[in-house]
């Protein structure tokens, strides 16, 4: 029996991975949530191959026209007057660092607020601003200076034991308290994931972002939406900021922007925030031509008329399938999500997070059903994620849930 780490995959086709012996696995999580268009979307493959033949790399002093092609597309429909951008990163981690640098330089303030359970990357700084101490424990430099963490709007396990539409938004009050009492008194920005992805597919309640925007305005804090997971159509909208009406000042993107897994990142901002000098944030492979061509061709596909409508439709089908499945299994406390970004909260008989069972589901899905799922290791660890590529077919959505159900029957 193949285990997750022993497998050697040779090919990818759509949402399928094919191993050495020709066995197909159904990837329900888009690789590392980055394969927005699956493993081998022909348009991206063609454009990247063509680019490899022509020119792979040149100094970022010369790549501006290519960068502008991508930024033009990204800013065309970006929310809240976002009309400028920066593309000298290939990872979400450094894109988030770039966003923080921008906010600090612009505001001349220091502190960064982020949410418990958030994940903003794995560089030391990005680890520092991410909301889980166990990830910093062995690395003393990872406790980022000026980083303040605040409770997440995790309604299923509300940190304030509130519930319902009249909960009083104590999670927002807590941010205000932290600014007043726990910060250095000089706050530059707040960085949030529209949906806390690795933290457990946590979706803030209606009204949260409206209050958050108000609070940021009150304190002149730059609001950064880390859309590394939620951007590029994942929720059925190009930006989740649009869906949730977040009104961010800066948006960071990576993962899905590369379509078939080509590394690329972008930082989008209102032009008042376009304050960095080129030497202040730049990497050798940032704005390399393969990344830029992958981003451009991915955007061509995602912005085709009807593409995002189709994602919304498939998102509704996935919602129905998972909402039908969840009540049948006691171990599923909640199935939550939007578009093609879903998570199953796995609980024990007392409703506590059941990490062992979540991991067993993921392991068995792979070995018994050839279904690839992932967990929420950076959160409480008990959420099983279902997030196929945007190109998934309706039949494949049914296939994913059928295989998942077989696993649930065997572990329940
Ligand atoms: C929301 C979010 N932000 C940032 C990152 C970091 O991106 P990268 O791994 O490309 O550095 C991730 C990666 O998982 C992420 O999920």
């Amino acid at each position: 029996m193949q285990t997750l780490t022993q497998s050697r995959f040779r090919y990818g086709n759509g949402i399928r991975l094919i191993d050495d012996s020709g066995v197909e696995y159904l990837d329900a999580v888009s690789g590392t949530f980055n394969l927005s268009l699956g493993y081998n979307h022909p348009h991206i493959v063609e454009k990247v191959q063509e680019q490899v033949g022509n020119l792979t790399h040149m100094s970022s002093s010369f790549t501006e026209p290519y960068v502008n092609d991508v930024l033009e597309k990204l800013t065309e429909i970006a929310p809240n007057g976002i009309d400028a951008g920066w593309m000298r990163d290939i990872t979400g981690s450094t894109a988030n660092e770039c966003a923080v640098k921008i906010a600090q330089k612009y505001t001349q303030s220091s502190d960064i607020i982020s949410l418990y359970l958030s994940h903003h990357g794995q560089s030391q700084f990005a680890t520092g601003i991410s909301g889980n101490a166990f990830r910093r424990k062995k690395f003393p430099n990872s406790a980022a200076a000026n980083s303040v963490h605040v409770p997440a709007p995790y309604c299923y396990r509300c940190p304030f034991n509130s519930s319902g539409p009249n909960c009083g938004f104590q999670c927002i009050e807590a941010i205000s308290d932290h600014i007043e009492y726990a910060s250095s008194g000089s706050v530059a920005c707040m960085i949030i994931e529209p949906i806390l992805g690795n933290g457990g597919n946590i979706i803030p309640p209606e009204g949260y972002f409206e209050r958050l925007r108000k609070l940021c305005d009150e304190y002149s804090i730059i609001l950064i939406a880390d859309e590394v997971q939620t951007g590029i159509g994942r929720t059925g909208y190009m930006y989740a900021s649009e869906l949730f009406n977040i009104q961010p000042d800066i948006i960071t993107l990576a993962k899905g922007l590369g379509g078939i897994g080509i590394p690329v990142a972008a930082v989008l901002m209102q032009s008042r925030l376009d304050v960095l000098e080129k030497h202040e944030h730049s990497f050798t492979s940032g704005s390399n031509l393969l990344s830029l061509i992958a981003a451009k061709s991915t955007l061509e596909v995602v912005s085709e008329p009807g593409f995002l409508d189709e994602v919304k439709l498939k998102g509704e089908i996935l919602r129905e399938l998972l909402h039908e499945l969840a009540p049948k299994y006691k171990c599923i406390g909640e199935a939550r999500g939007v578009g093609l970004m879903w998570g199953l909260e796995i609980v024990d008989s007392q409703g506590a997070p059941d990490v062992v069972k979540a991991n067993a589901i993921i392991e068995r899905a792979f070995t018994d059903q050839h279904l690839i799922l992932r967990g929420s290791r950076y959160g409480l660890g008990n959420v099983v994620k279902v997030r196929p590529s945007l190109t998934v077919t309706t039949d494949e959505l049914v296939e994913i849930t059928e295989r998942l159900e077989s696993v649930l029957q065997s572990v329940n």
Side-chain angles (χ1 to χ4, degrees):
M1 188 187 290
Q2 297 256 69
T3 67
L4 251 125
T5 46
Q6 284 167 338
S7 305
R8 182 192 290 271
F9 292 108
R10 288 281 178 205
Y11 308 102
N13 184 17
I15 71 158
R16 286 160 207 270
L17 268 180
I18 299 120
D19 77 6
D20 267 348
S21 40
V23 178
E24 281 191 8
Y25 288 69
L26 204 56
D27 184 351
V29 287
S30 321
T32 320
F33 311 134
N34 56 335
L35 306 172
S36 52
L37 301 180
Y39 280 97
N40 64 341
H41 192 287
H43 182 62
I44 323 304
V45 171
E46 184 197 328
K47 293 292 174 188
V48 171
Q49 278 177 340
E50 191 181 297
Q51 191 60 46
V52 173
N54 291 342
L55 189 59
T56 301
H57 180 90
M58 54 185 173
S59 151
S60 55
S61 315
F62 307 127
T63 53
E64 211 157 294
Y66 294 85
V67 169
N68 288 341
D69 283 348
V70 179
L71 288 181
E72 215 170 276
K73 271 244 173 269
L74 285 172
T75 54
E76 208 171 71
I77 54 159
N80 203 28
I82 286 178
D83 57 353
W86 189 269
M87 291 194 73
R88 286 166 173 257
D89 298 275
I90 53 166
T91 71
S93 306
T94 63
N96 283 332
E97 295 195 7
C98 179
V100 171
K101 281 182 187 172
I102 289 170
Q104 288 178 328
K105 188 172 178 190
Y106 179 81
T107 60
Q108 301 282 295
S109 298
S110 55
D111 290 9
I112 308 120
I113 303 177
S114 56
L115 296 174
Y116 293 177
L117 299 169
S118 61
H119 175 65
H120 298 296
Q122 286 277 11
S123 63
Q124 281 213 314
F125 179 80
T127 302
I129 62 169
S130 296
N132 228 322
F134 79 85
R135 293 176 48 208
R136 294 187 283 274
K137 199 170 171 183
K138 295 181 189 142
F139 312 105
N141 294 332
S142 295
N146 306 112
S147 173
V148 177
H149 299 98
V150 295
Y154 191 178
C155 295
Y156 186 78
R157 299 186 185 283
C158 175
F160 303 98
N161 275 331
S162 277
S163 63
N166 300 318
C167 69
F169 287 94
Q170 292 172 79
C171 47
I172 294 281
E173 292 299 315
I175 302 173
S176 172
D177 286 348
H178 274 78
I179 295 169
E180 292 290 346
Y181 308 120
S183 76
S184 72
S186 163
V187 179
C189 58
M190 168 131 191
I191 182 164
I192 48 106
E193 295 166 77
I195 297 172
L196 284 133
N198 288 357
N201 223 68
I202 297 164
I203 305 178
E206 206 170 328
Y208 179 83
F209 288 117
E210 191 187 332
R211 286 167 174 79
L212 185 66
R213 178 68 261 181
K214 214 161 142 231
L215 182 129
C216 288
D217 287 342
E218 228 168 85
Y219 287 97
S220 301
I221 292 171
I222 301 294
L223 181 57
I224 302 167
D226 173 349
E227 293 232 30
V228 166
Q229 286 202 15
T230 54
I232 317 298
R234 177 53 55 187
T235 64
Y237 293 79
M238 186 64 93
Y239 305 101
S241 293
E242 191 189 339
L243 166 64
F244 297 126
N245 194 20
I246 297 177
Q247 307 286 332
D249 303 298
I250 300 178
I251 292 176
T252 56
L253 297 166
K255 290 195 187 278
L257 184 57
I260 55 169
I262 308 288
V264 58
V267 183
L268 310 178
M269 76 290 267
Q270 296 161 345
S271 41
R272 73 186 166 111
L273 296 167
D274 196 1
V275 293
L276 291 187
E277 302 289 336
K278 296 215 179 338
H279 64 271
E280 288 177 323
H281 189 85
S282 206
F283 299 90
T284 302
S285 303
S287 68
N288 82 82
L289 289 172
L290 300 189
S291 298
L292 293 171
I293 290 304
K296 180 170 180 255
S297 48
T298 296
L299 292 170
E300 281 162 3
V301 173
V302 176
S303 54
E304 267 168 19
F307 184 93
L308 288 175
D309 290 336
E310 182 102 350
V311 174
K312 288 185 189 98
L313 208 67
K314 288 186 283 196
E316 281 313 306
I317 291 167
L318 185 57
R319 174 191 298 276
E320 269 173 39
L321 289 167
L322 293 176
H323 276 175
E324 235 169 70
L325 188 78
K328 293 198 246 168
Y329 298 92
K330 285 196 302 282
C331 68
I332 302 180
E334 185 176 57
R336 55 175 175 259
V338 61
L340 291 173
M341 186 165 179
W342 282 78
L344 305 175
E345 170 107 20
I346 306 300
V347 297
D348 66 14
S349 56
Q350 308 300 309
D354 195 336
V355 179
V356 172
K357 188 163 275 180
N359 290 338
I361 291 169
I362 293 164
E363 189 72 33
R364 267 202 211 175
F366 187 82
T367 52
D368 299 357
Q369 292 295 322
H370 295 172
L371 174 68
I372 302 173
L373 300 169
R374 284 172 74 97
S376 61
R377 208 151 32 120
Y378 297 150
L380 303 181
N382 70 316
V383 173
V384 172
K385 296 174 197 158
V386 182
R387 304 167 177 184
S389 300
L390 310 184
T391 49
V392 66
T393 64
T394 304
D395 285 348
E396 284 168 336
L397 289 174
V398 173
E399 204 178 336
I400 288 169
T401 37
E402 280 175 356
R403 292 193 198 189
L404 178 58
E405 176 140 33
S406 298
V407 176
L408 288 164
Q409 279 164 357
S410 72
V411 297
N412 211 35

Coordinates of all heavy atoms in Angstrom, one line a residue, residues 90-93 96 119-121 193 198 226 228-229 254-255, ligand 1:
I90 N 8.2 36.0 -5.7 CA 7.5 34.8 -6.2 C 6.9 33.9 -5.1 O 6.3 32.9 -5.4 CB 8.5 33.9 -7.0 CG1 9.7 33.6 -6.2 CG2 8.8 34.5 -8.3 CD1 10.6 32.4 -6.7
T91 N 6.9 34.4 -3.9 CA 6.2 33.7 -2.8 C 5.3 34.6 -2.1 O 5.5 35.8 -2.0 CB 7.2 33.1 -1.8 OG1 7.7 34.2 -1.0 CG2 8.3 32.3 -2.4
G92 N 4.2 34.0 -1.5 CA 3.3 34.7 -0.7 C 3.9 35.3 0.5 O 3.6 36.4 1.0
S93 N 4.9 34.6 1.1 CA 5.5 35.1 2.3 C 6.2 36.4 2.1 O 6.0 37.4 2.9 CB 6.6 34.1 2.8 OG 6.1 32.8 2.9
N96 N 3.8 39.3 1.4 CA 3.2 39.8 2.7 C 4.2 40.8 3.4 O 3.9 41.8 3.9 CB 2.8 38.7 3.6 CG 1.4 38.1 3.1 OD1 0.6 38.8 2.5 ND2 1.2 36.9 3.4
H119 N -2.2 32.4 8.8 CA -1.0 31.9 8.2 C -0.6 32.9 7.1 O -1.3 33.0 6.2 CB -1.1 30.5 7.7 CG 0.1 30.0 6.9 ND1 1.3 29.8 7.6 CD2 0.3 29.8 5.6 CE1 2.2 29.4 6.7 NE2 1.7 29.4 5.5
H120 N 0.6 33.5 7.3 CA 1.0 34.5 6.3 C 2.3 34.1 5.7 O 2.9 34.9 5.0 CB 1.1 35.9 6.9 CG -0.3 36.4 7.4 ND1 -1.3 36.6 6.6 CD2 -0.7 36.6 8.7 CE1 -2.4 37.0 7.3 NE2 -2.1 37.0 8.6
G121 N 2.8 32.9 6.0 CA 4.0 32.4 5.3 C 5.0 31.8 6.2 O 4.8 31.8 7.5
E193 N -6.5 37.3 6.5 CA -7.0 36.4 5.4 C -8.5 36.6 5.3 O -9.1 36.3 6.3 CB -6.6 35.0 5.6 CG -5.1 34.7 5.7 CD -4.9 33.3 6.3 OE1 -5.1 32.3 5.6 OE2 -4.5 33.3 7.5
N198 N -5.3 28.1 6.2 CA -4.7 27.0 6.9 C -5.1 26.9 8.3 O -5.0 25.9 8.9 CB -3.1 27.3 6.8 CG -2.6 27.0 5.4 OD1 -3.3 26.6 4.5 ND2 -1.3 27.2 5.3
D226 N -4.6 39.5 2.8 CA -3.8 38.4 2.3 C -4.7 37.4 1.5 O -5.3 36.6 2.1 CB -3.1 37.7 3.5 CG -2.3 36.5 3.0 OD1 -2.4 36.0 1.9 OD2 -1.5 36.0 3.9
V228 N -3.6 35.3 -0.7 CA -2.8 34.3 -1.3 C -3.6 33.0 -1.6 O -3.4 32.3 -2.6 CB -1.6 34.0 -0.4 CG1 -0.8 32.7 -0.8 CG2 -0.6 35.2 -0.4
Q229 N -4.5 32.7 -0.7 CA -5.4 31.5 -0.9 C -6.7 31.9 -1.6 O -7.2 31.1 -2.4 CB -5.7 30.8 0.4 CG -4.5 30.0 0.9 CD -4.9 28.9 1.9 OE1 -6.0 28.5 2.0 NE2 -3.9 28.4 2.6
A254 N -0.6 35.2 -4.5 CA 0.5 34.3 -4.9 C -0.2 33.0 -5.4 O -1.2 33.1 -6.2 CB 1.5 34.0 -3.8
K255 N 0.1 31.8 -4.9 CA -0.5 30.6 -5.2 C -1.2 30.5 -6.6 O -0.6 30.3 -7.6 CB -1.4 30.2 -4.1 CG -0.7 29.8 -2.8 CD -1.6 29.0 -1.9 CE -0.9 28.8 -0.5 NZ -0.1 27.7 -0.4
Ligands
LIG1 C1 -2.9 32.9 3.3 C2 -1.4 32.6 3.0 N1 -0.6 33.6 3.0 C3 0.7 33.4 2.7 C4 1.2 32.2 2.4 C5 2.7 32.0 2.1 O1 2.8 31.7 0.7 P1 4.2 31.0 0.2 O2 4.1 29.6 0.7 O3 4.1 31.2 -1.3 O4 5.3 31.8 0.7 C6 0.4 31.1 2.4 C7 0.9 29.7 2.1 O5 0.3 28.7 2.5 C8 -1.0 31.3 2.7 O6 -1.9 30.3 2.7

